[in-house]
């Protein structure tokens, strides 16, 4: 299963095409729209979220609520397009009053993208490099989430820190899977702790007053995974490399840790690796989950736990110095309507990327033609694992 997106931030719409989807999978537009709404929420978001109310329209690949085995096309309209029809027209002459973007923002794709494509208007770059594109990713991954849920796998996320404010956790590798999704979604910052949420909001308020932006960290958790999904024989089979690549494809992501991550480098081996134990009811399992659910590029059957670091958004209301592309003189970087903090939203996008990778890996292992055959293969695999542990 794979996806491709198209569309600009202020164009008519964002489009996603998902290929490799098995036939017979039940799809819910309401569920996809719920994920799109979660991507738009969060304390610290900017004015764009008051304009857009993202809704998906599925235009191919689904009949009477179930997939047909053909590519699925999903469209998310941009309501703000009506304010940009002249400046972002697909055809026609340039408007006489067109204002080019010539003050590239430090930390954004503006300058290097302009150098790469030989343009003197950063708008050509920033429209596509915008995080607005991730709405299409979330819509596309709605298909993957439905498949995983049908196979007993759930994916969720929560915010672990904003700026210097951190959620205090004794052992997140063990406690994270037990967080209640309702507690997370009721928080303004998608953080399961009320006190930490309020402290994070205070830090965001300070950043807003100073014309600054804030990053943070979040965790993506997947439960219900079978052991042995992924591969060890070649680099592109390993889920560590596939998940890492998918997460780093999200704008503003600067770090990804599986399980203990960098902490593992500070401990002796006996305090890092997870002892294997045998449970007569569930089979082989682990006494701890320091590996975060992955060993040798494959799932262990323990919850997958990935910690992800997002940098502050590069659009600042107190801009940094830049160089004007026309005059080559120093001036302030351009301002685009932006967020102070989008870490909670980014976590939802990360859920989408993780779901897409996991769904693809499940289809590689259990087949991809139709849900009936896939479920039968999963059932047989479960039975074989139970037999091996007796």
């Amino acid at each position: 299963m794979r996806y491709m997106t198209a569309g600009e931030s202020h164009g008519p719409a964002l489009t996603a095409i998902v290929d490799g989807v098995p036939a017979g999978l039940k799809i819910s537009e309401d569920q996809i729209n719920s994920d799109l709404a979660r991507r738009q929420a969060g304390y610290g978001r900017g004015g764009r979220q008051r304009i857009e109310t993202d809704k998906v329209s599925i235009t191919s690949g689904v009949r009477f609520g179930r997939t047909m085995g053909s590519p699925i096309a999903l469209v998310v309209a941009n309501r703000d397009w009506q304010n940009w029809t002249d400046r972002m027209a697909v055809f026609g002459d340039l408007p006489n009053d067109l204002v080019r973007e010539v003050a590239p923002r430090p930390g954004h794709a503006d300058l290097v993208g302009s150098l790469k494509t030989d343009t003197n208007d950063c708008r050509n770059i920033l429209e596509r490099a915008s995080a607005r594109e991730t709405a299409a990713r979330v819509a596309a991954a709605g298909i993957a989430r439905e498949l995983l849920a049908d196979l007993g796998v759930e994916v969720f996320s929560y915010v672990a820190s904003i700026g210097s404010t951190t959620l205090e956790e004794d052992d997140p590798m063990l406690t994270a899977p037990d967080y209640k999704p309702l507690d997370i979604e009721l928080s303004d910052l998608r953080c399961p702790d009320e006190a930490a949420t309020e402290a994070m909001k205070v830090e965001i308020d300070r950043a807003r007053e100073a014309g600054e932006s804030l990053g943070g960290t979040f965790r993506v958790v997947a439960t219900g995974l079978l052991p042995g999904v992924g591969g060890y024989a070649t680099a592109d089979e390993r889920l560590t490399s596939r998940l890492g690549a998918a997460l780093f494809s999200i704008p503003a992501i600067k770090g990804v840790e599986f399980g203990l991550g960098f902490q593992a480098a500070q401990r002796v081996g006996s305090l890092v690796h997870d002892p294997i134990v045998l449970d007569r009811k569930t089979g082989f399992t682990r006494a701890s989950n320091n590996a975060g659910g992955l060993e040798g590029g494959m799932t262990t059957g323990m919850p997958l736990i990935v910690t992800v670091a997002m940098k502050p958004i590069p659009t600042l209301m107190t801009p940094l110095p830049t160089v004007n592309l026309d005059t080559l003189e120093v001036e302030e970087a351009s301002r685009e309507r932006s967020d102070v903090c989008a870490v909670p939203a980014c976590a939802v996008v990360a859920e989408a990327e993780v779901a897409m990778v996991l769904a693809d890996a499940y289809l590689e292992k259990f087949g991809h033609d139709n849900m009936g055959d896939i479920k039968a293969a999963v059932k047989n695999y479960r039975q074989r694992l139970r037999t091996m542990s007796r």
Side-chain angles (χ1 to χ4, degrees):
M1 186 185 293
R2 58 184 179 176
Y3 75 88
M4 176 179 287
T5 73
E8 285 73 47
S9 179
H10 296 97
L14 299 166
T15 302
I17 296 178
V18 186
D19 190 20
V21 182
L25 176 65
K26 188 176 180 180
I27 300 297
S28 167
E29 280 190 337
D30 289 342
Q31 187 59 54
I32 297 175
N33 287 335
S34 174
D35 288 337
L36 287 171
R38 291 194 303 127
R39 193 200 73 90
Q40 290 191 277
Y43 195 82
R45 300 306 303 276
R48 183 71 186 268
Q49 311 313 318
R50 292 190 290 272
I51 297 174
E52 305 292 351
T53 305
D54 290 340
K55 301 288 184 183
V56 72
S57 175
I58 298 178
T59 59
S60 73
V62 178
R63 186 171 185 236
F64 305 125
R66 290 189 181 272
T67 57
M68 297 186 289
S70 50
I72 298 174
L74 308 97
V75 178
V76 179
N78 288 328
R79 292 180 63 188
D80 206 16
W81 157 248
Q82 62 188 355
N83 300 316
W84 290 76
T85 52
D86 292 338
R87 286 171 286 176
M88 290 297 296
V90 178
F91 295 107
D93 297 327
L94 274 66
N96 292 329
D97 60 348
L98 180 68
V99 177
R100 292 181 294 112
E101 290 291 346
V102 295
R105 292 162 293 173
H108 207 282
D110 298 353
L111 176 59
V112 287
S114 296
L115 297 175
K116 173 183 173 68
T117 60
D118 190 24
T119 180
N120 62 2
D121 188 353
C122 295
R123 172 85 34 208
N124 287 355
I125 310 305
L126 65 88
E127 282 289 329
R128 181 60 184 168
S130 167
R132 174 70 186 152
E133 178 266 346
T134 61
R137 302 191 193 200
V138 171
I143 309 300
R145 294 176 72 100
E146 295 277 21
L147 183 143
L148 292 172
D150 212 11
L151 299 178
V153 178
E154 298 292 337
V155 181
F156 69 93
S157 66
Y158 68 93
V159 171
S161 70
I162 297 290
S164 62
T165 304
T166 302
L167 167 67
E168 296 298 329
E169 300 174 279
D170 291 333
D171 185 357
M173 298 307 113
L174 288 178
T175 60
D178 293 329
Y179 287 138
K180 302 294 188 293
L182 183 61
D183 293 337
I184 295 169
E185 302 306 335
L186 288 177
S187 163
D188 288 338
L189 284 166
R190 305 195 61 255
C191 175
D193 182 82
E194 185 176 350
T197 295
E198 293 305 313
M200 292 173 184
K201 289 167 67 175
V202 170
E203 186 149 357
I204 291 172
D205 290 340
R206 291 196 190 109
R208 182 186 290 109
E209 292 170 3
E212 286 282 3
S213 60
L214 282 174
T217 63
F218 55 83
R219 292 193 178 89
V220 180
V221 181
T223 60
L225 292 165
L226 289 166
V229 177
Y232 62 90
T234 61
D236 58 358
E237 289 179 280
R238 290 175 174 264
L239 283 185
T240 38
S241 62
R242 292 160 69 174
L243 287 165
L247 289 165
F248 276 121
S249 76
I250 303 170
I253 296 307
K254 288 298 183 181
V256 174
E257 294 183 314
F258 297 99
L260 289 178
F262 280 92
Q263 291 184 41
Q266 303 168 3
R267 301 185 182 186
V268 296
S270 61
L271 298 179
V272 171
H273 304 298
D274 304 308
I276 298 172
V277 296
L278 183 61
D279 186 305
R280 291 301 179 182
K281 292 183 179 179
T282 61
F284 295 106
T285 185
R286 303 296 192 281
S288 57
N289 192 25
N290 294 331
L294 293 174
E295 283 183 346
M298 299 166 288
T299 55
T300 64
M302 297 291 283
L304 172 69
I305 303 177
V306 190
T307 305
V308 185
M310 178 189 183
K311 72 177 183 180
I313 291 169
T315 299
L316 301 176
M317 294 303 103
T318 304
L320 290 171
T322 189
V323 176
N324 185 294
L325 297 182
D326 284 344
T327 67
L328 301 183
E329 298 291 335
V330 175
E331 66 176 58
E332 289 185 345
S334 66
R335 298 177 180 88
E336 285 283 314
R337 182 175 49 217
S338 186
D339 307 316
V340 177
C341 178
V343 176
C346 190
V348 176
V349 179
E351 289 178 24
E353 290 293 347
V354 168
M356 188 64 73
V357 171
L358 292 178
D360 184 47
Y362 261 71
L363 293 178
E364 285 178 354
K365 184 166 182 60
F366 299 110
H368 57 266
D369 288 335
N370 65 81
M371 291 305 296
D373 289 351
I374 293 169
K375 288 182 176 180
V378 169
K379 182 178 179 180
N380 289 338
Y381 184 67
R382 290 182 185 276
Q383 181 59 47
R384 180 169 69 78
L385 294 182
R386 283 194 294 268
T387 300
M388 289 182 65
S389 63
R390 289 174 180 171

